[in-house]
Amino acid sequence: MKRSHKITILGLIILCFAHLSCSSQIKPKSNTVDDKVAALLKQMTLEEKVGQMAQITLDVITKGKDRFTSDEPVVLDPAAMDAAFNKYKVGSVLNTANNRARTPEVWYNLISQIQKSGKGRLNIPVLYGIDAIHGATYTAGATFFPQQIGQAATRNRDLVKRAAEITAYETRASGIPWDFSPVLDLGKDPRFPRIWETYGEDPYLGSELGVQAVKGYEGDNNNVGDPFHVASCMKHFLGYQVATSGKDRTPAMISDQALREYHLPAFKAAIDAGAHSIMINSGLINGIPVHANPKILTELLRNELGFKGLVVTDWGDIENLYKRDHVAKDNKEAVMMAINAGIDMSMIAYQYEPFCDDLIALVKEGKVKESRIDDAVTHILKLKFELGLFDTSVTNYKDYPKFGSEEFEQAAYQTAAESITLLKNKNNVLPLKKGMSVLVTGPNANSMRTLDGGWSYSWQGDLVEEFASKYHTILAAVQNKIGKEKVTYVPGVSYNMKGKYYEEYADQMNEAIAAAKNVDAIVLCLGENSYTETPGNLSDLYLSDLQTELAKKLAATGKPVILVLNEGRPRIISKFEPAMAGILECYLPGNFGGDALADILFGEVNPSGKLPYNYPKYPNSLINYDHKPSESRDVVEGVYNYNADYDPQYEFGYGLSYTTFKFSNLKLSANKITANDTLNVSVEVSNTGKMEGKEVVELYLSDLVASISPDVKRLKGFEKIDLQPGQTKTVNFKITKAEMSFVNADLKKVVEPGDFKIQIGNLTQKFTVE
């Protein structure tokens, strides 16, 4: 018995050790982000959770006469911070104070104080977000690139990625880890005041460049905890910028088929590329505000696309559900609708108390499930962990020696140079000879504000001159290039810089006309003053009467006029375009746009930009390049003979060079394939001119017969190549199921049997899908 007893004790000891060993293997201590989030969530009260879902603008917590303004210099208000962070547990802050840029040092000091005050009992850091649109928008000294529309014109994926990388670096140098960019809206309507914030009118182009932007912001592996990268925020999901009226934040009518065929691809591509957050469309689709539409926010975005990141509203858009759109009777119902639809964080901006109070009450009343709150807060906390904010809540500007460096500025210059698009060059008037005397004139000739556009040091870009004085306007750049003694400047027309963007006045117009008689050539700089969002709405797409008058009178002098267009959208120029000898489209090229333009004007750089949209000829003919066959018909036979006029001023993809290129030997790997096959396409491109040049090789695909009337052609591939005179390169493309498919009437992506046509340059080839 004693032996038996000893064996039993020994056995028990062995069993205990075995159990402990197994337990440690079965339940290891986990340090994954998901486990950290889950553990933290369990400790949080309902009030703390709701606070995490609230985002306020910086002016709310600064000293000033009210929540909408701040004293200068900016000083944080301890009482306001205590109310926001300790009483209401607010988890996120955005924007700058007084709508103006700050130095990296000021940003560091402000956000350091916010993080010190805002962590609460659980030490949860504040998530700071900013609109860094074409550079670190609200940081003095930051590197400004061309706006997205200009980046699209480069057709250069590497430049787009590099712009986002540098913007991420300089945003982190400002202590900010979250960037509300890129804009992935489809810029199909030239009337819209934000088309310049897009990559243009084509879904494929927007998808390709959007992915590059996400990679640039977040890094190739989406490691946003890297102190040189930020979390990107795709916007504005979904169907923004195609409002029926052409005006910002007004209703759109979009079929489900069109929504999926044209507007969804860029967002899907960015989601697949790992983008961490997404901002919602401020408008309405088919009468329903997108912020209150669970079919878009939950069924499509979450369930179908599999998006697992943070969903944030745009500015004040939950309040808009009752104040503007009248789909909710009060704030409480608006909050209920938006949160239940799938919103994680409300960009409240100012009045955060009603949001928090109403959401807490809604949960207690059972009208919003706490599981929905937990879901939202999980997305928020996960992003904070992934950004590394629990370890380093604010990055220090002293650790970013490349901020505003020559290396970064050269990247911005190169992007501007490759964006500028040569639209007309009658009798090879360009490039100009450096020995020529020139008149530089027009309202955009001597303005940094117009070169940068909106989202530049301030929301509307109205403070650019204060911050960008060291850079070169078009006038200054031309003077630097050929000498001041060869340049005459008379404005002719000027903008009212303290008024609305479209306010302008004649400014020595007669003197400008007189001066034209004494020079060899005229550089006429026309376009728009800076704007964005609703303040940029317009009622007439024609370029203004005064600018049109100036152009006509200058052309009447008989001197060659080089029209330089510096504009956010394609303002119609057909009233005087025939009288222009040369036309260069600059878009909004940023702080180095003047230098890049001067180099192109005088032949040091060969232009290589391509239009990212159709440039319309008339305001009642706003037709996209990928239109339906019925929109470009020939004359119909019989008594009802008519034609459908498709006549843009310049078509999507158009852009000239100072050299010439020849396309030849377009080859397909097969004439017949199945839907699951890959078709290899090759073409030879030769520089047949006398100057080195870059050419964009674009592949267009036409589905000749389909169950839904097919677009006449669609961009399905592009590559930018550099060729020396006499050099030839072979460019290869692959056509797969993804390129051949379309969304049918049942909202399914399908490839239907039939004939297809490939077009590259002036070459075409057909193939059949069996």
Side-chain angles (χ1 to χ4, degrees):
M1 287 185 65
K2 289 181 180 179
R3 183 179 179 185
S4 173
H5 177 70
K6 289 179 180 178
I7 292 172
T8 302
I9 295 296
L10 181 61
L12 287 170
I13 292 171
I14 293 171
L15 284 170
C16 285
F17 276 105
H19 175 72
L20 289 170
S21 176
C22 290
S23 297
S24 64
Q25 292 175 7
I26 294 170
K27 299 178 180 179
K29 185 177 180 180
S30 176
N31 287 313
T32 67
V33 168
D34 288 342
D35 289 332
K36 290 177 180 178
V37 170
L40 185 56
L41 191 65
K42 288 180 180 178
Q43 302 176 57
M44 297 175 71
T45 64
L46 175 60
E47 290 74 15
E48 288 170 329
K49 294 175 185 177
V50 167
Q52 287 296 307
M53 299 169 68
Q55 184 182 61
I56 57 175
T57 190
L58 181 57
D59 286 315
V60 172
I61 52 173
T62 59
K63 290 185 177 180
K65 65 178 183 179
D66 53 34
R67 286 190 177 186
F68 309 105
T69 55
S70 300
D71 294 339
E72 291 289 352
V74 176
V75 177
L76 292 168
D77 185 342
M81 288 198 293
D82 182 64
F85 299 133
N86 295 325
K87 182 177 180 180
Y88 277 90
K89 327 296 183 187
V90 168
S92 184
V93 179
L94 84 153
N95 210 13
T96 185
N98 284 343
N99 186 32
R100 65 166 44 242
R102 306 290 164 182
T103 65
E105 182 177 4
V106 168
W107 275 122
Y108 175 72
N109 291 333
L110 288 171
I111 297 175
S112 294
Q113 293 176 63
I114 288 170
Q115 295 293 8
K116 184 177 180 181
S117 301
K119 290 186 176 181
R121 71 179 184 94
L122 295 175
N123 291 313
I124 301 174
V126 171
L127 176 57
Y128 210 106
I130 203 82
D131 289 280
I133 302 302
H134 63 125
T137 297
Y138 291 114
T139 303
T143 307
F144 279 10
F145 288 80
Q147 300 281 1
Q148 276 189 206
I149 200 69
Q151 294 183 37
T154 70
R155 299 296 201 275
N156 190 322
R157 294 175 178 86
D158 292 339
L159 290 180
V160 172
K161 181 180 180 182
R162 185 61 176 148
E165 286 175 341
I166 291 170
T167 298
Y169 181 101
E170 296 191 342
T171 300
R172 279 286 199 166
S174 310
I176 300 171
W178 187 21
D179 181 8
F180 304 136
S181 182
V183 172
L184 299 182
D185 309 322
L186 203 58
K188 276 187 167 293
D189 190 339
R191 302 171 299 170
F192 204 79
R194 304 187 74 175
I195 185 174
W196 53 269
E197 296 182 51
T198 77
Y199 291 121
E201 71 175 53
D202 181 73
Y204 179 81
L205 181 61
S207 299
E208 289 291 301
L209 299 186
V211 166
Q212 294 306 314
V214 170
K215 289 180 177 180
Y217 286 134
E218 300 199 350
D220 288 331
N221 299 316
N222 302 97
N223 178 18
V224 296
D226 183 322
F228 300 127
H229 288 105
V230 295
S232 66
C233 185
M234 310 165 280
K235 63 185 188 184
H236 309 82
F237 192 80
L238 182 67
Y240 188 49
Q241 301 222 27
V242 288
T244 304
S245 68
K247 292 180 167 58
D248 186 34
R249 288 170 167 82
T250 57
M253 301 299 292
I254 313 172
S255 71
D256 289 343
Q257 189 274 338
L259 203 65
R260 290 169 175 271
E261 178 69 28
Y262 303 105
H263 300 275
L264 192 60
F267 286 97
K268 183 182 186 305
I271 289 169
D272 292 344
H276 273 72
S277 64
I278 195 164
M279 188 184 295
I280 305 307
N281 174 3
S282 289
L284 301 86
I285 297 178
N286 303 334
I288 302 174
V290 181
H291 280 78
N293 193 334
K295 289 185 177 180
I296 290 179
L297 300 185
T298 297
E299 293 178 21
L300 177 57
L301 179 60
R302 295 293 191 191
N303 299 343
E304 184 176 331
L305 299 181
F307 180 64
K308 300 185 184 303
L310 170 60
V311 176
V312 63
T313 74
D314 206 338
W315 187 278
D317 274 327
I318 290 183
E319 292 179 8
N320 281 336
L321 296 179
Y322 79 97
K323 288 185 175 180
R324 183 194 69 191
D325 298 328
H326 298 202
V327 296
K329 67 177 183 293
D330 55 24
N331 187 75
K332 188 175 182 180
E333 186 175 27
V335 171
M336 179 187 72
M337 293 173 70
I339 301 304
N340 283 338
I343 294 296
D344 294 330
M345 179 183 287
S346 176
M347 189 185 289
I348 304 159
Y350 298 110
Q351 308 302 333
Y352 61 88
E353 298 93 340
F355 171 83
C356 294
D357 291 339
D358 285 342
L359 186 50
I360 290 168
L362 287 163
V363 174
K364 291 179 178 179
E365 294 166 10
K367 294 178 180 177
V368 174
K369 294 181 180 179
E370 189 158 3
S371 60
R372 171 75 268 272
I373 303 298
D374 289 347
D375 176 60
V377 177
T378 294
H379 298 141
I380 296 165
L381 294 178
K382 186 173 183 179
L383 182 56
K384 291 185 177 186
F385 273 110
E386 289 176 336
L387 284 167
L389 298 181
F390 284 86
D391 299 317
T392 304
S393 60
V394 55
T395 43
N396 193 325
Y397 65 97
K398 295 179 181 179
D399 297 327
Y400 296 83
K402 290 186 178 182
F403 176 89
S405 63
E406 289 186 13
E407 175 191 339
F408 287 2
E409 290 182 344
Q410 180 58 35
Y413 165 84
Q414 186 62 36
T415 308
E418 291 198 26
S419 72
I420 295 172
T421 306
L422 178 60
L423 297 178
K424 188 176 183 179
N425 196 13
K426 187 177 181 180
N427 298 325
N428 292 319
V429 65
L430 291 171
L432 300 174
K433 294 180 175 60
K434 290 185 179 178
M436 300 175 71
S437 61
V438 299
L439 168 66
V440 179
T441 184
N444 296 62
N446 196 29
S447 169
M448 287 306 304
R449 173 178 175 176
T450 61
L451 290 176
D452 277 327
W455 297 115
S456 301
Y457 307 108
S458 68
W459 178 40
Q460 295 295 315
D462 54 312
L463 302 180
V464 169
E465 307 299 345
E466 176 183 339
F467 289 92
S469 59
K470 75 172 186 177
Y471 305 106
H472 301 140
T473 66
I474 295 172
L475 170 63
V478 171
Q479 289 174 332
N480 291 341
K481 186 62 57 183
I482 64 173
K484 289 185 178 181
E485 70 279 1
K486 296 175 183 175
V487 180
T488 301
Y489 168 63
V490 185
V493 175
S494 291
Y495 297 118
N496 176 7
M497 290 300 186
K498 294 184 178 181
K500 299 182 184 300
Y501 81 92
Y502 51 80
E503 293 180 5
E504 57 190 36
Y505 56 94
D507 189 356
Q508 304 176 67
M509 186 180 294
N510 291 334
E511 290 88 336
I513 308 307
K517 299 173 183 177
N518 301 315
V519 297
D520 297 317
I522 302 165
V523 177
L524 173 60
C525 306
L526 304 182
E528 298 182 308
N529 202 355
S530 69
Y531 58 81
T532 188
E533 301 192 42
T534 303
N537 285 343
L538 59 63
S539 298
D540 186 358
L541 195 54
Y542 274 114
L543 201 59
S544 73
D545 291 343
L546 275 176
Q547 294 189 47
T548 298
E549 179 184 355
L550 178 63
K552 288 181 175 180
K553 287 182 175 178
L554 288 170
T557 66
K559 297 299 177 70
V561 180
I562 310 303
L563 173 62
V564 174
L565 292 167
N566 169 207
E567 55 190 357
R569 57 197 149 200
R571 299 298 292 270
I572 294 172
I573 57 173
S574 55
K575 292 178 180 179
F576 60 89
E577 187 273 347
M580 301 294 102
I583 301 177
L584 285 160
E585 172 64 77
C586 291
Y587 314 98
L588 301 172
N591 282 335
F592 299 93
D595 298 317
L597 175 68
D599 286 343
I600 288 173
L601 282 170
F602 293 97
E604 292 185 14
V605 169
N606 193 349
S608 61
K610 302 292 183 182
L611 282 176
Y613 46 58
N614 263 11
Y615 203 113
K617 185 179 286 187
Y618 305 107
N620 284 0
S621 296
L622 307 181
I623 303 175
N624 300 116
Y625 92 92
D626 55 352
H627 55 278
K628 300 298 182 183
S630 61
E631 295 176 283
S632 56
R633 297 182 69 183
D634 294 329
V635 175
V636 179
E637 293 182 346
V639 65
Y640 296 111
N641 58 328
Y642 64 92
N643 67 313
D645 184 25
Y646 172 68
D647 188 25
Q649 190 78 63
Y650 304 104
E651 194 171 29
F652 174 92
Y654 182 75
L656 302 172
S657 171
Y658 291 157
T659 191
T660 54
F661 299 99
K662 179 183 178 182
F663 292 78
S664 60
N665 294 328
L666 174 59
K667 296 179 181 179
L668 310 185
S669 60
N671 293 322
K672 292 183 179 181
I673 62 172
T674 69
N676 294 316
D677 290 338
T678 296
L679 182 70
N680 295 309
V681 181
S682 65
V683 67
E684 292 182 2
V685 185
S686 304
N687 184 342
T688 55
K690 298 179 180 180
M691 185 176 183
E692 177 188 359
K694 295 181 173 69
E695 175 66 325
V696 178
V697 185
E698 295 191 322
L699 183 151
Y700 293 92
L701 184 65
S702 302
D703 189 347
L704 299 182
V705 178
S707 57
I708 285 183
S709 182
D711 298 330
V712 294
K713 64 179 181 179
R714 290 282 292 276
L715 181 69
K716 294 297 181 180
F718 66 90
E719 295 294 336
K720 192 165 195 176
I721 58 174
D722 195 346
L723 292 172
Q724 297 293 329
Q727 185 180 12
T728 297
K729 288 184 179 180
T730 299
V731 179
N732 297 293
F733 298 98
K734 292 184 182 295
I735 299 296
T736 68
K737 188 175 185 177
E739 285 76 38
M740 294 184 289
S741 63
F742 69 95
V743 177
N744 69 7
D746 297 323
L747 306 184
K748 303 295 184 184
K749 291 276 285 187
V750 297
V751 178
E752 294 179 345
D755 293 335
F756 290 76
K757 182 177 74 174
I758 286 174
Q759 176 185 343
I760 301 179
N762 59 347
L763 306 176
T764 62
Q765 287 272 21
K766 290 184 180 180
F767 68 94
T768 301
V769 175
E770 297 180 325

